[in-house]
Amino acid sequence: MDKVLIISHVTAGVTTLLSGVLAAFFGRKGGKIHRAAGMVFFWSMAWIFISALLIVAFVRFNFFLTIIAVFSFYMTFAGQRVLKLKKTLKPLRIDWIAAFIAIAFGLTLFGAGIRFLVLSNFSSTIGYLSVIFGFFTANTAWLNIKGFRNTKPDKMWWWFAHMNLMSGAFIASITAFLVQNGALFAALGNMGWILWVLPAAIGSPLIAYHANRYRKQFGVGKYANAEKV
């Protein structure tokens, strides 16, 4: 049973990577390919989250796996929900519950990271990772809560929220793939921490670049008052 659970988790992980690439780089945004790949990505990520919790609870505890599972699924869930909220602007109870759980998890993780760092004289890799992922998890959920309370959001707000959240989840899935690759992690030795930050270091500037390009295309943000040529 343990082996089946782990194999299903790995299979879902590979499916997430493939569907993420398809949704991000192929087909028109909002088109059939994008929507179909996005749904595959969402449900694959959902099973990764569920199976990760089962593995942690019944097979073996893995601190890193827990961090990535919660962080990536919340971003996926919130990114999918944005497409519903763009029509109603009325978050459901599940949206509030998920956001507050994510904040609680993020703050707990952040506090645990501070404790690890203090006890290790600021030499704990787990400590630094806990602080970083704890902060981003709590901050993402807090920004979503602020969005729930905004009854007059900016033009195309949902586009950028969806892009940022799903792209963040995709980066997290790549990170999980890299850090769970034992051979690659071992080959880097003391530099293994690079695998934790490399996807975000590459992906974040790409997200910022495309977000700016779409702001210009939609005429929002700093381009809102630009003269039309």
Side-chain angles (χ1 to χ4, degrees), residues 62-68 71 105-106 108-114 116-117 120 122-137 175 179-180 185 191-200:
N62 187 315
F63 190 75
F64 295 143
L65 184 61
T66 305
I67 294 174
I68 290 292
F71 177 73
F105 176 83
T108 301
L109 188 59
F110 185 89
I114 296 296
F116 290 145
L117 290 174
S120 67
F122 295 90
S123 62
S124 170
T125 301
I126 294 178
Y128 286 110
L129 293 174
S130 297
V131 168
I132 294 171
F133 279 93
F135 170 79
F136 280 110
T137 301
T175 303
V179 299
Q180 292 298 316
F185 205 84
M191 299 298 289
W193 59 269
I194 291 177
L195 298 178
W196 281 95
V197 300
L198 185 61

Side-chain angles (χ1 to χ4, degrees), residues 82-129:
V82 161
L83 300 180
K84 304 293 184 182
L85 294 174
K86 74 173 184 178
K87 301 177 181 178
T88 65
L89 295 180
K90 295 180 180 179
L92 301 179
R93 183 175 298 176
I94 187 64
D95 297 307
W96 290 98
I97 292 174
F100 281 117
I101 289 176
I103 286 180
F105 176 83
L107 292 178
T108 301
L109 188 59
F110 185 89
I114 296 296
R115 183 173 182 273
F116 290 145
L117 290 174
V118 172
L119 293 177
S120 67
N121 196 26
F122 295 90
S123 62
S124 170
T125 301
I126 294 178
Y128 286 110
L129 293 174

Side-chain angles (χ1 to χ4, degrees), residues 160-211:
F160 298 101
H162 178 74
M163 181 180 71
N164 290 334
L165 289 165
M166 299 303 276
S167 296
F170 183 48
I171 289 174
S173 68
I174 295 174
T175 303
F177 173 78
L178 292 176
V179 299
Q180 292 298 316
N181 189 321
L184 180 59
F185 205 84
L188 291 174
N190 293 333
M191 299 298 289
W193 59 269
I194 291 177
L195 298 178
W196 281 95
V197 300
L198 185 61
I202 296 175
S204 296
L206 289 175
I207 295 173
Y209 167 78
H210 285 287

Side-chain angles (χ1 to χ4, degrees), residues 85 89-91 95-96 100 141-153 157:
L85 294 174
L89 295 180
K90 295 180 180 179
D95 297 307
W96 290 98
F100 281 117
W142 174 245
L143 290 176
N144 286 335
I145 288 176
K146 290 177 64 178
F148 296 161
R149 297 169 60 87
N150 186 1
T151 58
K152 295 182 179 180
W157 67 273

